[in-house]
């Protein structure tokens, strides 16, 4: 419970009941224990609770309607004999202030807002009840996952944006222990767990007729490479009555970079769809060449999990790229297509990228870097 200090109102999160089919409801109660508000709208909840401090008056600046899924910064200071409590969303320039003539009430309101910020409650999005579940993989569950044997290739985006971007669906928590709750990456991990639970509860799927390939990607893609947990798995444990513990362990270990500065320095954390698909082909080719199965009898399913659009140029599928590199370098120069100008001519159609790959710390100063990091270009539009 997060109780206000006026003795008249209790504001708390009800995790045992939800009228809106969410993980919890926001509830405000009076001194007699009667509910005066039950809502799934975090801003309605906060505004109602803040009104419990009678000396605090709300003032709205710029766009007072904050974007759901984001968390405003909370600040407080004294000015003109009043305690100011400010909630400000720098990214969308939304701002709300409370001016409190009673300093103690102002501090109580500040601590209440800070607690909501620290527990990520401001990021709670509205939930709604539907006639049937909308967050389960029904297309797979009712379609491909009823037709064994199946090769399932899971392709997971672990770019930087999957860490800092909040997930817009139901509350998930911090599944990989990276200190960030309810991120896109957490949602991707949860989706894989959900699929494995479908396999576990199935009467027709087991370790004998389901094979799992796992690809992770950011600036480059990885399958059975240096970045684990890329590789092969059986979906279930040896007894067939639970998810493969090795898969659970490795899913919970998946983390990505946490700062934009590190992304630039290490050239990791961008989004390369093309290489992710190339590594996926490796998995299906490996299965096709497996002499212990008849590949033609197996259903092939690829589950592609990502949060956005690619920003790394591919290897010959007519992807857009930036026209200019550093210091006016012309990206149309044949040498710029795939190698620095000191190397022999090699166009993108010749194969995978040979420079500015994931982990290339020299990429930041490579004059051809903008030729690779397209189509998000600085100063001009992308070309093909």
């Amino acid at each position: 419970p997060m109780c206000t200090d006026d003795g008249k109102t209790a504001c708390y999160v009800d995790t045992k009941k939800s009228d809106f089919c969410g993980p919890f409801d926001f509830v405000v109660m009076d001194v007699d224990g009667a509910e005066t508000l039950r809502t799934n709208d975090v801003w309605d909840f906060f505004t109602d609770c803040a009104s419990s401090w009678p000396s605090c008056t709300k003032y709205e600046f710029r766009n007072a309607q904050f974007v759901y899924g984001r968390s405003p910064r909370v600040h407080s200071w004294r000015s003109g004999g009043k305690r100011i409590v400010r909630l400000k969303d720098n990214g969308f320039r939304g701002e709300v202030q409370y001016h409190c003539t009673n300093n103690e009430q102002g501090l109580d309101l500040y601590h209440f807002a800070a607690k909501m910020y620290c527990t990520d409650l401001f990021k709670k999005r509205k939930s709604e009840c539907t006639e049937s579940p909308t967050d389960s993989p029904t297309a797979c569950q009712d379609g491909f996952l009823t037709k064994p044997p199946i090769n399932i290739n899971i392709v997971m985006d672990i770019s930087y944006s999957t860490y800092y971007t909040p997930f817009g669906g139901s509350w998930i928590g911090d599944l990989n222990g990276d200190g960030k709750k309810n991120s896109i990456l957490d949602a991707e991990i949860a989706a894989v767990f959900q699929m494995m639970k479908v396999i576990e509860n199935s009467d027709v799927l087991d370790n004998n007729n389901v094979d799992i390939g796992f690809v992770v990607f950011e600036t480059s893609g990885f399958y059975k490479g240096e970045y684990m947990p890329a590789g092969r798995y059986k979906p279930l444990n040896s007894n067939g009555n639970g998810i493969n513990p090795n898969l659970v362990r490795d899913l919970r270990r998946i983390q990505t970079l946490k700062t934009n500065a590190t992304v630039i320095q290490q050239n990791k954390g961008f989004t390369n769809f093309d290489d992710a698909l190339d590594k996926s082909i490796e998995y299906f080719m490996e299965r096709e060449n497996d002499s212990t199965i008849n590949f033609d009898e197996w259903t092939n399913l690829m589950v592609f999990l990502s949060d956005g659009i690619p920003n790394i140029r591919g290897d010959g599928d007519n992807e857009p790229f930036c026209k200019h590199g550093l210091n006016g370098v012309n990206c149309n120069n044949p040498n710029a297509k795939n190698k620095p100008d000191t190397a022999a001519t090699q166009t993108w159609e010749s194969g995978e990228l040979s420079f500015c790959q994931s982990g290339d710390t020299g990429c930041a100063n490579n004059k051809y870097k903008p030729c690779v990091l397209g189509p998000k270009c600085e100063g001009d539009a992308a070309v093909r």
Side-chain angles (χ1 to χ4, degrees), residues 73-94:
R73 299 286 181 177
V74 181
H75 305 277
S76 180
W77 67 91
R78 290 293 299 273
S79 176
K82 297 179 180 180
R83 168 65 58 177
I84 310 299
V85 180
R86 181 178 73 180
L87 293 83
K88 183 177 181 181
D89 186 333
N90 291 325
F92 288 85
R93 299 185 63 80

Side-chain angles (χ1 to χ4, degrees), residues 64-327:
Q65 292 299 319
F66 289 92
V67 177
Y68 290 95
R70 294 175 61 89
S71 188
R73 299 286 181 177
V74 181
H75 305 277
S76 180
W77 67 91
R78 290 293 299 273
S79 176
K82 297 179 180 180
R83 168 65 58 177
I84 310 299
V85 180
R86 181 178 73 180
L87 293 83
K88 183 177 181 181
D89 186 333
N90 291 325
F92 288 85
R93 299 185 63 80
E95 181 175 337
V96 172
Q97 290 186 10
Y98 286 86
H99 294 191
C100 306
T101 56
N102 182 297
N103 186 57
E104 290 186 2
Q105 290 188 9
L107 285 174
D108 287 341
L109 175 58
Y110 166 68
H111 292 146
F112 175 67
K115 186 172 183 179
M116 290 191 64
Y117 170 81
C118 292
T119 53
D120 282 339
L121 287 176
F122 280 123
K123 294 182 179 179
K124 171 68 168 60
R125 293 174 181 263
K126 295 180 182 180
S127 56
E128 62 177 322
C129 298
T130 57
E131 293 182 359
S132 60
T134 58
D135 59 349
S136 61
T138 54
C140 291
Q141 180 174 336
D142 299 333
F144 286 103
L145 292 186
T146 62
K147 302 175 182 178
I150 313 172
N151 294 314
I152 302 176
N153 186 40
I154 299 169
V155 188
M156 183 178 292
D157 183 351
I158 60 168
S159 60
Y160 171 53
S161 61
T162 65
Y163 167 78
Y164 73 75
T165 306
F167 177 57
S170 300
W171 184 265
I172 298 170
D174 182 7
L175 297 187
N176 60 352
D178 64 359
K180 186 81 169 180
K181 298 177 182 178
N182 222 48
S183 67
I184 292 291
L185 188 53
D186 290 317
E188 292 178 328
I189 295 170
V192 177
F193 280 142
Q194 177 68 25
M195 175 173 283
M196 294 306 107
K197 289 297 292 183
V198 171
I199 295 173
E200 177 189 353
N201 295 329
S202 171
D203 294 330
V204 297
L205 303 177
D206 54 39
N207 284 342
N208 295 316
N209 58 23
V210 178
D211 190 83
I212 305 294
F214 202 4
V215 170
V216 293
F217 70 96
E218 25 104 1
T219 305
S220 301
F222 302 93
Y223 169 64
K224 298 188 71 173
E226 57 188 274
Y227 186 102
M228 296 304 291
R232 290 270 303 281
Y233 295 87
K234 291 298 182 182
L236 306 178
N237 61 26
S238 57
N239 295 323
N241 59 358
I243 302 174
N244 182 345
N246 293 329
L247 178 58
V248 173
R249 176 200 64 205
D250 289 343
L251 281 169
R252 292 193 179 276
R253 287 178 176 177
I254 297 177
Q255 295 191 9
T256 189
L257 301 184
K258 300 180 181 180
T259 67
N260 188 61
T262 310
V263 171
I264 300 300
Q265 180 185 24
Q266 299 184 16
N267 200 46
K268 293 183 176 181
F270 293 100
T271 308
N272 191 338
F273 278 13
D274 200 89
D275 203 32
L277 295 173
D278 285 345
K279 297 304 187 293
S280 300
I281 292 173
E282 288 186 23
Y283 165 70
F284 288 116
M285 290 184 64
E286 185 176 290
R287 294 295 288 161
E288 185 177 19
N289 294 328
D290 187 342
S291 60
T292 64
I293 66 170
N294 184 343
F295 182 75
D296 292 336
E297 295 179 353
W298 286 65
T299 298
N300 296 307
L301 173 64
M302 182 170 71
V303 180
F304 198 97
L305 303 169
S306 181
D307 68 333
I309 62 174
N311 53 20
I312 295 288
R313 187 180 175 191
D315 58 6
D317 302 320
N318 197 31
E319 298 89 356
F321 64 98
C322 301
K323 292 188 290 185
H324 300 104
L326 300 178
N327 300 320

